[in-house]
Amino acid sequence: MCLRYLVEATNMDPVAVETEEKQQTSIVENNTENTSETSKQPDAKPEDNENGDKKVQDAEHISSPKVVENVDLKVIYCKKKFDVTFPLDNTVAELKFHLRDIIGVLPLMQKVMIKGLAKDEQTLRELGVTSASKIMVVGSKLDDVLAAFTPTRQEQQDEASEANGGQEPFSKQKMHRKILSKGVPEDAMPGIRDAKEPLPPFPISGMLNKSGGKVRLTFKLEMDQVWIGTKERTDKLPMSSIKGVVSEAIHDHEEYHIMALQLGPTEASRYWVYWVPAQYIDSIKDAILGKWQYF
């Protein structure tokens, strides 16, 4: 009816009017559908926003350079004080390498004392180090260790005269007889003749050095070191610093050996050890020199 009135009022062609009306109806329906689809779309999830924020924070963190916090230390070594600046989050092992050029002691021969003995893997922050903290370092320079083991002039002369005497066994030589004459130490570890055993997981003890003092040997294979311990001190020697190892069974006590660690280029720099259990001799040489490098 509306169409008929519109045709009559406007004198338009009925077919044209009907076509225009259909086009307008189609436009309205399309707009309605688009509005409905838009309203059905879900809102952005909170976690999407959180992930986006996190990515931004991560990017900011990556782009920001790490700030190294240094701390000023007072390092005390041999009654001397050294001012040292060192990163607070670095380890004690790294500090030892830093101190090597300052105090002249190899890292392997240093002990760092921070409220007690500090472990290599600990950081200064973990140990509670603050600015102006005092750190004590204990250790011997390699030259001092070699000097302690260097025989006196008289001992060198005795050894040279014995060497010139030919093939006389160690246990018959004058320089060794004065130690062997005391007999087997009461706390000497049991010796086994003609046997070979691996190094024990504990120190080889109950032996004597050239002065007649008690000595023990501890082999730290994981550190490639041998520790020579006496009542007065413990010296930690890198295996590579030992030039040779010689040994010989003790006369009438073949279950024990006289053994020498050569710490320098000449025979005068040998460190003598008496009453070494015979079953450990080969393993000691293997550990220090390697199986095919016996002196």
Side-chain angles (χ1 to χ4, degrees):
M1 182 180 293
C2 293
L3 180 62
R4 182 171 58 83
Y5 288 147
L6 180 60
V7 172
E8 292 176 353
T10 58
N11 293 322
M12 294 179 62
D13 183 5
V15 176
V17 172
E18 184 176 1
T19 300
E20 183 177 355
E21 186 176 35
K22 287 181 179 181
Q23 291 176 349
Q24 293 177 355
T25 302
S26 176
I27 293 172
V28 172
E29 289 176 351
N30 289 336
N31 290 338
T32 304
E33 290 176 359
N34 291 337
T35 303
S36 175
E37 291 177 358
T38 303
S39 63
K40 290 180 181 180
Q41 292 180 354
D43 295 335
K45 295 182 179 179
E47 54 268 24
D48 292 341
N49 292 333
E50 293 176 0
N51 291 336
D53 294 341
K54 184 177 180 181
K55 290 180 180 178
V56 172
Q57 293 175 357
D58 291 344
E60 292 176 351
H61 178 71
I62 293 173
S63 61
S64 301
K66 183 179 179 181
V67 178
V68 177
E69 183 177 354
N70 291 325
V71 62
D72 296 325
L73 308 171
K74 293 285 186 181
V75 176
I76 303 174
Y77 173 70
C78 288
K79 298 181 180 180
K80 296 181 180 179
K81 294 183 180 180
F82 302 86
D83 293 323
V84 176
T85 300
F86 195 73
L88 191 58
D89 291 308
N90 281 22
T91 63
V92 172
E94 292 170 316
L95 176 62
K96 289 181 178 180
F97 275 95
H98 184 72
L99 293 176
R100 176 183 56 186
D101 296 331
I102 298 175
I103 62 177
V105 179
L106 295 175
L108 292 175
M109 304 183 77
Q110 293 181 33
K111 289 183 180 180
V112 176
M113 311 298 291
I114 305 175
K115 300 177 182 178
L117 182 61
K119 297 181 180 179
D120 284 349
E121 64 272 15
Q122 292 179 296
T123 66
L124 301 192
R125 188 185 298 276
E126 292 171 347
L127 291 166
V129 174
T130 58
S131 182
S133 290
K134 293 183 179 180
I135 295 178
M136 181 174 293
V137 178
V138 179
S140 299
K141 298 180 180 179
L142 186 57
D143 291 342
D144 295 336
V145 174
L146 294 176
F149 293 152
T150 301
T152 63
R153 181 180 296 274
Q154 181 61 45
E155 290 172 334
Q156 294 180 25
Q157 292 175 351
D158 290 344
E159 186 170 353
S161 62
E162 296 290 355
N164 292 332
Q167 300 297 322
E168 188 175 18
F170 289 156
S171 55
K172 297 291 186 178
Q173 296 176 13
K174 178 181 177 180
M175 63 176 293
H176 302 305
R177 287 202 307 268
K178 63 180 181 180
I179 302 298
L180 299 177
S181 62
K182 300 177 181 180
V184 182
E186 294 182 357
D187 57 346
M189 297 175 61
I192 304 175
R193 180 179 179 178
D194 298 328
K196 178 180 178 180
E197 293 185 2
L199 292 174
F202 45 82
I204 302 175
S205 59
M207 301 173 294
L208 302 178
N209 59 19
K210 65 181 181 181
S211 301
K214 292 295 179 65
V215 65
R216 63 186 179 277
L217 298 178
T218 305
F219 291 87
K220 297 287 186 178
L221 302 182
E222 71 281 1
M223 302 170 65
D224 199 32
Q225 294 181 7
V226 56
W227 295 4
I228 302 177
T230 63
K231 183 179 179 180
E232 295 79 17
R233 59 192 292 170
T234 297
D235 292 298
K236 302 178 180 180
L237 301 181
M239 299 283 194
S240 58
S241 69
I242 301 174
K243 310 302 181 183
V245 180
V246 295
S247 69
E248 188 178 287
I250 298 175
H251 181 65
D252 290 336
H253 294 282
E254 284 77 9
E255 68 274 21
Y256 294 100
H257 276 227
I258 300 174
M259 184 180 72
L261 305 178
Q262 188 163 330
L263 305 179
T266 66
E267 293 184 359
S269 58
R270 289 176 175 175
Y271 183 85
W272 292 96
V273 183
Y274 303 85
W275 306 107
V276 182
Q279 67 270 24
Y280 297 132
I281 291 296
D282 286 344
S283 294
I284 290 173
K285 293 180 179 179
D286 289 349
I288 295 176
L289 304 175
K291 293 184 178 181
W292 312 110
Q293 299 182 31
Y294 288 171
F295 184 79

